[in-house]
């Protein structure tokens, strides 16, 4: 199992957001997570992504029990094994598309020439070979999000976690981004969890998980 969540609980003050969520995701699976606003989708994704610790329960990603990792090990694990895509791309405006894609590799102290080759190859994979030298402001919204997806993949993560990745795009760009996720699964065998409010995207996934009232239904 690439992701294993066992009986996850999380509360904020008196608000019980996750009330015992268990979820397994296999390698190469694309899973969508849907549910009303406030249902706890982002909270669950952040817990899977090790950005947030659960109050109780156990999380394993790529065979590692992440709750057992210390701070430094955890940062390293996150950098190497988990790719994130958010609703807003969070690209650095001063850097080119190629440089933005390279950043997680450089943070992970990978070899610069190898990182650059890998970044260029990923830009090709997401259909942006000819935009490598552009800065974010010189790219369309859809292109910016493609760069963010390439960046999430530069360290060849075990899992790609996307939180409303197409929430900020128009219909055409949205559909292209949706297709891209499935291409990535075909080409890279990438395991992907996508939180979305988009019914069509949710329906394209191998499995759709619905959250409500702190539980998976
Ligand atoms: N840091 C926090 N402190 C306090 N409450 C929080 C915090 N983060 C989230 N919450 C609350 O926890 C609940 C679940 O939030 P979460 O962001 O997981 O929902 P969501 O399903 O992603 O919603 P949306 O579809 O609107 O993004 C919400 O009621 C939210 O207000
Ligand atoms: Mg959310």
């Amino acid at each position: 199992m690439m992701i294993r969540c066992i009986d996850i609980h999380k509360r904020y003050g008196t608000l019980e957001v996750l009330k015992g969520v268990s979820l397994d995701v296999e390698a190469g699976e694309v899973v969508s997570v849907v549910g009303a606003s406030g249902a706890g989708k982002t909270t669950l994704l952040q817990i899977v992504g090790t950005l947030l610790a659960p109050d109780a329960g156990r999380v394993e990603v790529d065979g590692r029990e992440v709750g057992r990792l210390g701070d430094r090990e955890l940062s390293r694990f996150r950098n190497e094994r988990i790719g994130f895509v958010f609703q807003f791309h969070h690209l650095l405006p001063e850097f080119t598309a190629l440089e933005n894609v390279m950043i997680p590799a450089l943070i992970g102290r990978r070899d610069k020439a190898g990182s650059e080759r890998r970044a260029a190859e990923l830009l090709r994979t997401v259909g942006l070979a000819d935009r490598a030298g552009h800065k974010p402001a010189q790219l369309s919204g859809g292109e910016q999000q493609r760069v963010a997806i390439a960046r999430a993949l530069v360290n060849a993560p075990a899992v790609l976690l996307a939180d409303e990745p197409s929430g900020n795009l128009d219909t055409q760009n949205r559909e292209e981004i949706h297709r891209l996720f499935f291409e990535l699964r075909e080409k890279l065998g990438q395991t992907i969890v996508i939180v979305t409010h988009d019914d069509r995207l949710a329906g394209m996934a191998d499995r759709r998980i619905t959250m409500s009232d702190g539980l998976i239904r």
Side-chain angles (χ1 to χ4, degrees), residues 68-115:
R68 290 179 174 276
L69 299 177
D71 281 355
R72 288 184 55 169
E73 280 177 309
L74 192 60
S75 305
R76 184 179 175 136
F77 181 83
R78 192 184 303 127
N79 173 261
E80 290 179 351
R81 307 310 292 145
I82 299 173
F84 292 99
V85 181
F86 302 99
Q87 179 171 0
F88 300 99
H89 55 72
H90 303 297
L91 298 174
L92 299 177
E94 300 302 318
F95 292 90
T96 65
L98 185 73
E99 289 163 345
N100 267 283
V101 175
M102 287 172 69
I103 285 169
L106 299 179
I107 288 172
R109 296 172 188 276
R110 299 200 177 193
D111 151 70
K112 189 154 182 263
S115 302

Side-chain angles (χ1 to χ4, degrees), residues 41-42 163-164 195:
K41 305 179 299 294
T42 294
D163 197 349
E164 299 188 41
V195 169

Side-chain angles (χ1 to χ4, degrees), residues 32-54:
S32 60
V33 180
V34 301
S37 182
K41 305 179 299 294
T42 294
T43 303
L44 178 63
L45 205 71
Q46 288 183 338
I47 288 173
V48 171
T50 78
L51 291 170
L52 190 65

